[in-house]
Amino acid sequence: MGVESPLSSIRIPRVLDDVTFEWCAQHLEPIFRATLIDADIQPVGAGRIGTTVRVRLIWASERAASPPPSVVVKLVAQSAVARRAARTFGSYRAEVGFYLELAEHVGSRLPRCFIAAYESADRYCLVLEDMGDSEAGDQMRGCSPEEAEASLLELARLHASTSASSGIDIPSWLTPRRAIIESHEALTLAVRLSDRFWARFDDRLAPEVEEALTELAVQCDQNRPRLATLTSVLHGDFRTGNLLYGIGRPVVVDWQTVAVGNSVADLSYFVGTSISREKQRADHAIYIDTYVSALRSYGIQIDEQLLWADYARYALAGLAMAIVGWSLSERTPASDEMFAVMADRSAIHADELRNIS
């Protein structure tokens, strides 16, 4: 079952109400070669720059091989603020391009993609495998040690399978894309917006955030190019909230920030945003050893001294993402709290590494 191309004749839904029984029958019956008799459509998830719905499907029973009982459909965000953010970063085109041109080469566990279609910054659609009994990671709680280890193994699979030694062809549209977490332009934007962010959250941010904001400005001024530990495809927003757990290996979702860059940016960002510091400080050596050992099992040898330097260099990636994400997202109490927690953890992450060095 292949995916539709961005230039296919699919009728891309513009709003949630466009996903109807008739739409599902028109586009899903040819893929699954079955007759649809009912579809129950319910919003799910808490996507910041997209709308996600689960479609429960009832099929005629004449087929011996059963089509799926449900799928997940992703559309553009209903919020104008979120759509502007997606337009700014080319988010929808990137995610469609990922599923059309890269997904089959990626070693991480992914949902199967049945339809991927893009028309403009205001129209895109994905129809994905519904991962059943899985649960999205809890960004507020942070991940458990077991979830962290499993997540890092998936991250290593992504980087090993898309590094230069993998031999895959990187699509031309992806080569110039820079992930927000390592982009100097995004860093500059975060510094410019930092006063507004501090004014909004200073009464609930960790003490380390104030120093981290100063350090962020210094990094922005320096902007020195460096040799990357390992260059590969990056997820760009690899955190526990974008992983599905509970059904074996974690499933990696939300590829709207996909880019090519320094693999360690993904690594440091994950640890800095997804490991709760409420009970104990992060054991960075364990996380790095898990990641490096996994890379070596795939034949990737890296300079650990350079890796540690890059790991510290990207320690504030979560803070930059929190500021930029907050500024471009629809303001809700839940999103405000998530971005504040990301900022806290990232600042503490940087402080821990500063003390280690």
Side-chain angles (χ1 to χ4, degrees), residues 18-290:
D18 291 341
V19 182
T20 61
F21 168 80
E22 290 74 20
W23 185 90
C24 293
Q26 177 185 352
H27 296 292
L28 300 183
E29 286 183 349
I31 294 174
F32 299 114
R33 298 182 177 88
T35 301
L36 188 66
I37 59 176
D38 197 9
D40 179 38
I41 299 144
Q42 297 294 332
V44 295
R48 306 297 167 196
I49 55 175
T51 300
T52 304
V53 298
R54 172 174 285 112
V55 184
R56 300 194 183 279
L57 305 166
I58 299 177
W59 303 90
S61 59
E62 70 268 13
R63 268 180 58 90
S66 298
S70 59
V71 293
V72 169
V73 180
K74 292 187 69 174
L75 309 174
V76 300
Q78 302 306 292
S79 157
V81 173
R83 288 197 302 276
R84 281 197 299 272
R87 189 179 300 113
T88 298
F89 294 107
S91 305
Y92 301 141
R93 173 65 183 89
E95 190 165 32
V96 167
F98 170 80
Y99 279 108
L100 287 173
E101 301 179 64
L102 275 174
E104 64 179 318
H105 304 293
V106 168
S108 302
R109 186 179 180 188
L110 311 172
R112 293 177 63 193
C113 182
F114 303 115
I115 293 175
Y118 171 85
E119 183 177 295
S120 69
D122 293 315
R123 277 201 174 190
Y124 104 120
C125 174
L126 295 174
V127 178
L128 301 171
E129 176 185 7
D130 185 359
M131 301 310 296
D133 295 328
S134 66
E135 290 188 7
D138 187 334
Q139 194 65 45
M140 303 301 295
R141 173 181 61 83
C143 57
S144 68
E146 295 76 18
E147 289 170 340
E149 180 181 9
S151 302
L152 290 169
L153 295 178
E154 291 305 313
L155 187 61
R157 290 184 178 103
L158 165 64
H159 294 160
S161 62
T162 60
S163 67
S165 63
S166 69
I168 72 165
D169 292 325
I170 301 297
S172 58
W173 61 266
L174 184 60
T175 304
R177 273 181 67 87
R178 296 293 302 278
I180 294 174
I181 59 174
E182 69 157 6
S183 161
H184 184 256
E185 290 74 19
L187 185 63
T188 301
L189 178 60
V191 170
R192 194 166 73 240
L193 296 168
S194 60
D195 286 345
R196 286 171 52 194
F197 187 81
W198 179 259
R200 170 66 183 84
F201 293 109
D202 72 321
D203 60 340
R204 59 95 46 236
L205 293 173
E208 292 86 351
V209 174
E210 187 170 13
E211 182 177 358
L213 289 171
T214 301
E215 186 178 339
L216 201 66
V218 171
Q219 285 187 13
C220 185
D221 288 340
Q222 291 176 343
N223 188 31
R224 292 194 297 265
R226 294 178 52 167
L227 179 67
T229 301
L230 177 69
T231 299
S232 71
V233 169
L234 305 183
H235 181 280
D237 192 16
F238 192 89
R239 54 184 174 83
T240 192
N242 285 333
L243 293 150
L244 307 179
Y245 300 99
I247 52 171
R249 285 171 50 190
V251 181
V252 188
V253 296
D254 289 345
W255 291 87
Q256 296 171 339
T257 50
V258 65
V260 173
N262 190 333
S263 308
V264 183
D266 266 348
L267 171 64
S268 193
Y269 177 79
F270 171 76
V271 176
T273 59
S274 302
I275 309 297
S276 174
R277 268 52 172 199
E278 291 179 1
K279 294 183 179 179
Q280 61 182 19
R281 298 172 79 80
D283 195 332
H284 301 281
I286 289 179
Y287 301 133
I288 286 179
D289 182 64
T290 297

